[in-house]
Amino acid sequence: MTQVHPIKAFNDNYIWAICDTQNLDTWVVDPGQSHPVLQFLREQNRQLTGILVTHHHWDHTDGIAELISHYPETPIYGPKDSPFSGITCTLSQGDSITIAGERYNIIKTPGHTLDHICYVNDTRAFTGDTLFSGGCGRLFEGTAEQMWHSLQALSALPDPCEVYCTHEYTLANLDFANAVEPNNDALTAYTTWAKTKRAQNLPTLPTNIGNERAINPFLRSNNDAILAHLPEVLKGPTEAQWQVFAKLRLWKDQF
């Protein structure tokens, strides 16, 4: 059995702690800071067993060196050919690893960065900065076409699959999503729910794949209602679905 706990970091990051309920083993995902992880381990009397990296950005990796100084034998899993040099166990598309007794597959998801990977199975997906609740990551290194294919791969996971992304961006994402699809009843209901959660200082995460298919404009770029609400400057012929996604991402960047 596995339990997943959010560890808050910076202003809006979550470091996910994956805890084996049968023992003290704990894996952490994208530890941009060390001290909140060390505090969690100390308070829960748990042992750091592994570190999982989705991509090289500093707010996902800066805490690793300090964690390794306390737990020097801890393996650091992450994408092959990543600019982050601290990875000790490299992973590529099609690889799999066991975390807390459960098998996770590696999906390569370029777009936000070129090295980005996600750790997924039918139950959980640790999506880093690729898929957010109501949104997706900015295109810092990859192309819109790459990101669209990455999101399609995640969208193919089962509806109940829980999505653990690494930022509490939900309300800002939903502001944009409501501009894109103002008549989406599922989106309206989810926005109300998310606002209630944040008013109580509670995470809106995890979300799940079924919910994201219903409310996330970046997974719904084939929807005619989305095309109808594009700003005039972005309207025009598109030859492929990824080009609609590209227009949405550009709109979001300027929103």
Side-chain angles (χ1 to χ4, degrees):
M1 294 290 292
T2 301
Q3 291 182 344
V4 182
H5 301 272
I7 302 174
K8 292 183 179 181
F10 304 112
N11 292 325
D12 53 29
N13 284 57
Y14 292 123
I15 301 166
W16 297 107
I18 309 170
C19 300
D20 192 324
T21 59
Q22 306 301 311
N23 52 50
L24 303 179
D25 290 348
T26 306
W27 288 254
V28 293
V29 183
D30 287 343
Q33 287 184 304
S34 60
H35 70 267
V37 175
L38 293 170
Q39 181 178 354
F40 174 85
L41 295 171
R42 183 171 60 252
E43 291 177 351
Q44 301 298 319
N45 190 31
R46 300 197 65 88
Q47 173 72 33
L48 184 62
T49 308
I51 295 171
L52 310 177
V53 175
T54 61
H55 65 291
H56 64 86
H57 281 167
W58 67 269
D59 61 322
H60 296 249
T61 58
D62 268 11
I64 292 177
E66 178 68 15
L67 291 175
I68 292 303
S69 73
H70 290 269
Y71 299 92
E73 302 302 318
T74 304
I76 304 165
Y77 297 89
K80 184 180 180 182
D81 300 324
S82 176
F84 177 63
S85 61
I87 294 167
T88 60
C89 302
T90 60
L91 298 168
S92 301
Q93 172 76 26
D95 289 341
S96 61
I97 62 172
T98 299
I99 304 167
E102 297 181 359
R103 203 70 177 161
Y104 285 80
N105 299 316
I106 305 304
I107 298 179
K108 186 170 177 61
T109 54
H112 179 67
T113 64
L114 292 176
D115 67 329
H116 205 297
I117 62 173
C118 297
Y119 302 78
V120 309
N121 59 27
D122 286 349
T123 303
R124 298 181 184 89
F126 295 92
T127 62
D129 285 359
T130 296
L131 175 63
F132 297 130
S133 185
C136 72
R138 286 180 177 269
L139 305 181
F140 286 114
E141 296 175 5
T143 67
E145 185 173 8
Q146 285 176 315
M147 181 63 107
W148 184 80
H149 284 294
S150 295
L151 292 172
Q152 290 296 298
L154 293 171
S155 182
L157 294 168
D159 280 1
C161 180
E162 295 177 336
V163 175
Y164 295 85
C165 55
T166 47
H167 289 281
E168 183 57 75
Y169 288 166
T170 304
L171 291 187
N173 288 336
L174 294 180
D175 282 345
F176 175 70
N178 278 285
V180 175
E181 281 195 285
N183 300 315
N184 184 331
D185 291 341
L187 175 58
T188 300
Y190 184 63
T191 302
T192 299
W193 173 87
K195 287 181 176 179
T196 300
K197 281 288 194 179
R198 295 309 294 149
Q200 298 170 350
N201 198 31
L202 295 173
T204 59
L205 303 170
T207 179
N208 65 61
I209 292 295
N211 180 63
E212 294 308 307
R213 286 203 201 98
I215 63 95
N216 191 324
F218 297 107
L219 299 186
R220 297 169 56 78
S221 59
N222 61 342
N223 189 297
D224 290 341
I226 285 178
L227 293 173
H229 287 95
L230 283 173
E232 287 298 325
V233 69
L234 294 177
K235 288 184 178 178
T238 55
E239 297 178 359
Q241 280 302 312
W242 71 264
Q243 293 174 320
V244 180
F245 165 81
K247 292 183 177 185
L248 283 174
R249 185 62 256 182
L250 181 61
W251 183 11
K252 177 64 164 65
D253 291 343
Q254 302 169 347
F255 189 72

